[in-house]
Structures are given as structure tokens and as C-alpha cells.
Amino acid sequence: MSVRLTRQSQGLLQAWICGSCTPIRNFAAENQTDKQQNNKCTIMLRGLPYKATAADVLRFFKDVDVLGGKDGVHLHARTMGTCFVDINKQDLAKAKKYNLREIGNRYIEILEENDFKRIYPGYTPPTPQEKGTLVKLKGLPFGCTKQDIATFFSGFEIATHGIMKPVKRHASLTGEAYVKFASKEIAEKALTRHNEYMGSRYINVYPTDALEVDHKMSVPEFTMSPPHAVFVHSRKSDLGKLYIEKLFSPCEPIHIHLSAADGIRLWQNGTAVVEFKTHSEALEAMSTADQKGSNEEFYLYSVEDK
């Protein structure tokens, strides 16, 4: 039996063979994806054992519909014992019944989205491009500068304002830092610097994520939550408000923290926390101060305005 093709059918067949025909869209798959997104809600688990895996979380939620299976379990900041899980909205009440049940010998706390957003107000989930781009450094020398860190990772492209140092309650610089790289692939290569030396100190390099960075970089005494601020570290023994205003001029801070009376008790002289109204103003102020070529170092403590 012979099959006759119309001229149009012949044209489509020829285009398909040549690879120039537009692929047929899988509307059924697209509709299924849209339906899952509409039915999705995210919960947070706290108190996980350090070695907990996605499979452990799925076994814990044995009768809860975790969307995407293992892909719906987002392990975050293992040092904090937290993760996010995408579940079906209809199973939220069922998932909450697992609150304070155990994984291993650890009691697991379950938080709804509204609750964990209050606890981590500055946290913004990473975009697919940003995921896996952060590393944590431990064991830094006390006088370590941004340039020292950039030199340590020489050859690896660091994102703009990608070097961050946490400030403790009294604004002391710790032996830790976080670095955001231009891509996940570069961050993975940067992990090969683990246990290499900076001066006489060997530096630990670990993968981390935005949740841990937000937790370590937050300072509760800020006027705004989340804050839009720039941390200033200077070799000068004293920083005055007039000097700070001159550094950031023409940008105008809404608050300059230099002493306990200003809301933050600073750990040492030569440090300041300068707040601005918006994220864009903090970025502009930091860029302005950087361009003036002073001896101060500036660290961004701000998340994008929503």
C-alpha cells in the first residue's frame, strides 16, 4: 500500500528532517507544571542532623505529597540544620502534624512561610543562576582585607560586591567571610582552595547558601529590617559623623551608628554602620565611597527592595 503526501505534508516532513521545523509544544506537560506551581507551598524544617539528606526528609514526610520528590527538598545551610520543602497546599495541615517529631535523635521544627519570613526577613531565595555560587571561609587572619580575599581566589571571577564579612552583635570582624562567585561552576572550582594558606594561616573553604549568609550578616539593632546598610572598616582610630558623611556624599544616610548611644555598640574604633533608605541608595553610596580612593573598606549589608 502506498501513502501519498500532500504538498504541505511533504514540506513539513522535509523541514523536520532538516531540523528547521519548530518543535511541537507539549501543552500537557506545561499545564501539569503550571498546576503544580499553583498548588505549591513551601515549608521550612529546622533542627536537621548535619548529615541529613533529601531521602531522609522524604522518609520523614512519608504520607505528605512532596512536589518533585527529591527535587522538592532544598537542603540549605547544613551548619544551621535547615531546609525548605515544596509540598502540595492540601497537605499543609498534614505536614504540620510532624512538628517536633524526630529524624535520628533530633526534634524537627516545621515553620510555615509567614513564620520563617519573620525570622529571616532579609532572606531572598536564590535564582537558578545564583544557586551554588556562595562559599564560606573560616580561619582568616585578623587583619584580612577584601584585597587579601580577592588575591586568595585569584583566577576565579567574584561577583560585584561579592565579598562579605559578618559582623557580630558588637560589630567585631570575625575570622569568617562569605564570597559570591560569578557562577556555580566557578564556585565549585574555588572550593579547591580548601586548606591553602593565606599568610601563615590555612583557610577552610566550604559551600554555603544565601540563608546562612543572611543569618550571619544580620544585626538586630538596625533601624530597618531588613536593613539597607554599608559597614565601614577603617584603619583610623576614630571615625566621626562628619567624616562618614563626606565619604558617602552626595548620598545621604538616614542613620550613622558609631557608638552605643546610636543603637549599636561597636567593638572597636574605626568601624561604623551606615544606613540608607533603599537598597539602590546603599549600592550607590558604596560605589561612591569606593571611587574616592580612601583607605576604608566597605561591605554591603542590604537586600534588593521588593
Side-chain angles (χ1 to χ4, degrees), residues 192-257:
T192 61
R193 295 287 169 90
H194 179 63
N195 282 344
E196 290 196 7
Y197 280 81
M198 181 184 293
S200 60
R201 302 287 298 274
Y202 67 87
I203 308 302
N204 299 138
V205 185
Y206 305 107
T208 188
D209 67 10
L211 183 66
E212 180 176 359
V213 174
D214 173 67
H215 177 71
K216 288 293 184 75
M217 300 288 278
S218 62
V219 180
E221 296 93 336
F222 279 126
T223 304
M224 303 172 66
S225 183
H228 302 297
V230 177
F231 177 74
V232 183
H233 183 225
S234 175
R235 296 185 184 277
K236 293 178 180 291
S237 60
D238 186 31
L239 285 173
K241 286 192 175 182
L242 289 177
Y243 181 77
I244 294 291
E245 289 171 354
K246 185 177 179 181
L247 271 179
F248 290 106
S249 177
C251 303
E252 296 184 3
I254 60 170
H255 208 123
I256 299 173
H257 302 277

Side-chain angles (χ1 to χ4, degrees), residues 130-301:
E130 293 176 323
K131 197 170 183 180
T133 59
L134 286 160
V135 303
K136 177 180 182 177
L137 307 182
K138 292 187 69 176
L140 295 171
F142 177 76
C144 175
T145 66
K146 291 172 88 171
Q147 185 56 52
D148 293 332
I149 294 173
T151 301
F152 181 77
F153 286 117
S154 178
F156 300 111
E157 184 182 354
I158 297 174
T160 304
H161 305 312
I163 298 176
M164 299 158 280
K165 283 187 177 181
V167 178
K168 290 183 178 178
R169 179 177 176 84
H170 300 308
S172 60
L173 291 176
T174 70
E176 299 179 355
Y178 297 93
V179 181
K180 182 177 181 181
F181 291 92
S183 70
K184 178 181 178 181
E185 292 72 24
I186 295 175
E188 289 173 348
K189 292 177 181 177
L191 293 173
T192 61
R193 295 287 169 90
H194 179 63
N195 282 344
E196 290 196 7
Y197 280 81
M198 181 184 293
S200 60
R201 302 287 298 274
Y202 67 87
I203 308 302
N204 299 138
V205 185
Y206 305 107
T208 188
D209 67 10
L211 183 66
E212 180 176 359
V213 174
D214 173 67
H215 177 71
K216 288 293 184 75
M217 300 288 278
S218 62
V219 180
E221 296 93 336
F222 279 126
T223 304
M224 303 172 66
S225 183
H228 302 297
V230 177
F231 177 74
V232 183
H233 183 225
S234 175
R235 296 185 184 277
K236 293 178 180 291
S237 60
D238 186 31
L239 285 173
K241 286 192 175 182
L242 289 177
Y243 181 77
I244 294 291
E245 289 171 354
K246 185 177 179 181
L247 271 179
F248 290 106
S249 177
C251 303
E252 296 184 3
I254 60 170
H255 208 123
I256 299 173
H257 302 277
L258 291 169
S259 67
D262 294 321
I264 297 180
R265 182 182 175 184
L266 296 180
W267 177 77
Q268 63 182 43
N269 291 331
T271 57
V273 177
V274 186
E275 289 187 76
F276 297 88
K277 287 182 180 179
T278 64
H279 176 70
S280 57
E281 286 186 24
L283 277 176
E284 182 184 355
M286 186 168 170
S287 298
T288 299
D290 266 332
Q291 291 169 9
K292 292 184 178 178
S294 65
N295 292 323
E296 283 72 32
E297 287 196 331
F298 306 98
Y299 298 90
L300 187 68
Y301 288 74

Side-chain angles (χ1 to χ4, degrees), residues 85-112:
V85 183
D86 299 328
I87 65 171
N88 194 312
K89 283 181 181 177
Q90 297 176 349
D91 279 7
L92 178 59
K94 192 183 295 184
K96 288 172 67 177
K97 291 181 180 179
Y98 285 86
N99 187 46
L100 298 184
R101 293 193 187 183
E102 295 182 20
I103 292 181
N105 60 351
R106 301 291 299 273
Y107 290 100
I108 307 303
E109 186 180 5
I110 297 172
L111 302 175
E112 293 185 56

Side-chain angles (χ1 to χ4, degrees), residues 70-85:
K70 287 185 179 180
D71 291 336
V73 179
H74 311 286
L75 290 166
H76 286 258
R78 291 196 170 198
T79 56
M80 296 170 61
T82 61
C83 81
F84 292 99
V85 183

